[in-house]
Amino acid sequence: MSKLLYSRRRFLGTAATTGAALASPFYLRRAAAQSGGEVNIWTYNDFVPEAFKEQFEAETGIKVNVRLVDDQGKQFNLLAAEQPNPTVDIMTVAGHRFLQFIDNDLLAPLDTDRLTNWGKINPTFSESDWSTINGNKWGAPILSGMEVLSYNTELVSEEEALTWDTLFSEKYSGQTAYIIQDMMSIVMLMKGYDGNMVEYMDDPEKAAQIVEEAKQFLIEKKPLVRKYYDGGAEFQQMMVNQDIALGHSWNGPAAALINDGFPLAMTIPREGSYGFVYTYNIANNAPNADNAYTFLDAILASPEIGAAMTKASGFISTYKDASQYLSDLEKKSTSFPEEQLANLQFFRAEANELKYGLVDPAVEAIKAA
């Protein structure tokens, strides 16, 4: 019991001082002129480091308004409802959801000529195939992540955590949690199917059959799960409170717990999982487009900023040389053994209309079952 109380105190105390830990000055290599106004950003928790935000506002006179989001679908629906006059300038879209936003004219093509710091991004991310659609770039890659099986090392063994089957076992009934939409893709992978659904683009009946099979599996296993959750902070709190012993999560929130000293570890199970890249994108008809480009160029300015984003979010930085500014523990919490990385594939967007047209209603059916 004393060990648990220590872990909770350590985590909660560390979390409360995260802002102070990030307060070391950043050097924006190319300080923007004082221009004033504002820039409105929809993004995930900790994706804009507080120290960077404060310095950017001081150096440019531009007020940064951050609205936190926790779901790509909700963000899409809100942006679609606001067009053609959105209130947002910059949003955070995962690369595998690009087509949905682009096809609905919600994003503006990114003018990389306006970003003098574009070259600070690792070309593995900035010049990859998924980042170019219809001959245009649509976002600035900032962080990369993956779906992992996270577990309390005092309650679950490493061997158990090497398979997704443990998440659905009777042994841990009432001690698990996951995001349903994300688990749909993983369950399809567990069953030997293409969770991206690219293989079934010419066979919608087969696609519907596969989604139905995954849906029925999750309905069958519903009595075993403690909670379906939406955001990383909720997952972290359930772990800290020992409401759960293991769960599906993004690697970012899990890494943050590890770096705060909580007895957590994560795996890419043998059945496989999916990776993704978060990008900053400019909304079509953005009300403060010039300020949006000023912000983007500033946040891409140096690897220290990329490292700060990793420290705050736990996700892997896309910036060149960012790892040089991470501690050994931080590096460890953002890396995996080669044999586990071999189980990883990236989300793809080609079949998104087919996939989410089937998966989104299935998710609602699972919740209602």
Side-chain angles (χ1 to χ4, degrees):
M1 178 63 71
S2 60
K3 190 167 187 178
L4 171 61
L5 290 175
Y6 170 75
S7 296
R8 288 187 186 178
R9 277 199 298 269
R10 180 186 178 96
F11 169 72
L12 294 174
T14 306
T17 59
T18 298
L22 293 175
S24 58
F26 299 116
Y27 297 98
L28 305 184
R29 309 300 188 193
R30 176 177 173 270
Q34 292 282 336
S35 57
E38 62 182 2
V39 61
N40 302 308
I41 302 171
W42 294 350
T43 193
Y44 291 88
N45 192 36
D46 294 327
F47 277 26
V48 178
E50 185 60 30
F52 167 81
K53 175 178 176 289
E54 292 175 359
Q55 184 173 347
F56 176 82
E57 290 178 328
E59 293 190 359
T60 66
I62 298 172
K63 186 175 186 299
V64 178
N65 303 311
V66 175
R67 175 174 181 171
L68 297 181
V69 298
D70 60 13
D71 180 82
Q72 295 279 292
K74 293 177 186 175
Q75 183 176 229
F76 171 84
N77 291 335
L78 181 57
L79 185 58
E82 288 191 349
Q83 283 290 352
N85 299 301
T87 60
V88 65
D89 301 297
I90 296 172
M91 70 210 62
T92 308
V93 179
H96 60 284
R97 298 296 292 260
F98 272 6
L99 280 176
Q100 183 183 25
F101 285 78
I102 294 168
D103 289 347
N104 287 275
D105 297 322
L106 301 183
L107 300 182
L110 193 66
D111 184 356
T112 58
D113 290 341
R114 298 184 65 177
L115 300 173
T116 61
N117 291 312
W118 180 257
K120 303 291 180 65
I121 306 172
N122 188 320
T124 298
F125 299 102
S126 62
E127 306 306 324
S128 57
D129 291 343
W130 62 262
S131 67
T132 303
I133 298 174
N134 301 331
N136 292 310
K137 301 289 186 186
W138 295 90
I142 52 170
L143 292 164
S144 177
M146 61 200 70
E147 315 278 358
V148 297
L149 180 57
S150 299
Y151 62 102
N152 185 322
T153 57
E154 297 176 351
L155 303 174
V156 181
S157 71
E158 181 179 8
E159 183 62 31
E160 288 177 305
L162 292 176
T163 173
W164 287 112
D165 288 338
T166 304
L167 188 67
F168 301 105
S169 66
E170 292 285 347
K171 179 178 179 179
Y172 294 104
S173 176
Q175 301 177 70
T176 64
Y178 45 83
I179 299 172
I180 305 179
Q181 188 181 63
D182 293 348
M183 280 309 304
M184 285 289 291
S185 298
I186 290 172
V187 169
M188 287 187 264
L189 201 58
M190 289 171 62
K191 292 180 172 294
Y193 301 124
D194 173 16
N196 281 316
M197 310 221 81
V198 175
E199 290 183 22
Y200 320 115
M201 291 178 67
D202 297 326
D203 193 351
E205 290 186 3
K206 177 69 172 179
Q209 173 194 327
I210 291 168
V211 171
E212 179 66 20
E213 186 177 336
K215 181 185 80 174
Q216 291 302 326
F217 175 86
L218 289 174
I219 289 175
E220 176 189 340
K221 300 298 184 181
K222 188 171 183 177
L224 301 176
V225 66
R226 182 182 182 95
K227 189 173 184 180
Y228 304 135
Y229 72 94
D230 292 318
E234 187 178 5
F235 164 79
Q236 291 173 326
Q237 198 59 58
M238 286 189 289
M239 272 291 181
V240 170
N241 293 342
Q242 278 203 340
D243 293 329
I244 59 174
L246 72 163
H248 150 276
S249 77
W250 306 325
N251 65 307
L257 280 180
I258 293 170
N259 288 319
D260 283 330
F262 190 79
L264 191 85
M266 51 185 164
T267 67
I268 303 171
R270 64 175 67 99
E271 298 88 351
S273 190
Y274 289 98
F276 51 90
V277 179
Y278 283 120
T279 65
Y280 273 145
N281 314 78
I282 295 181
N284 196 20
N285 301 319
N288 305 287
D290 288 341
N291 286 348
Y293 274 101
T294 299
F295 177 89
L296 286 184
D297 203 35
I299 205 164
L300 296 177
S302 71
E304 294 98 323
I305 298 173
M309 295 167 77
T310 288
K311 290 172 185 284
S313 70
F315 289 110
I316 300 168
S317 177
T318 61
Y319 292 44
K320 295 176 181 175
D321 302 322
S323 63
Q324 295 182 15
Y325 300 91
L326 300 176
S327 68
D328 289 342
L329 180 59
E330 288 162 344
K331 290 177 184 176
K332 182 179 179 180
S333 69
T334 53
S335 63
F336 292 84
E338 287 296 325
E339 62 270 20
Q340 290 189 27
L341 286 175
N343 302 330
L344 185 72
Q345 52 187 288
F346 276 87
F347 280 118
R348 293 171 58 184
E350 296 95 317
N352 273 3
E353 184 175 356
L354 170 67
K355 176 179 176 177
Y356 291 106
L358 294 168
V359 167
D360 289 347
V363 168
E364 296 308 313
I366 295 166
K367 291 178 180 177

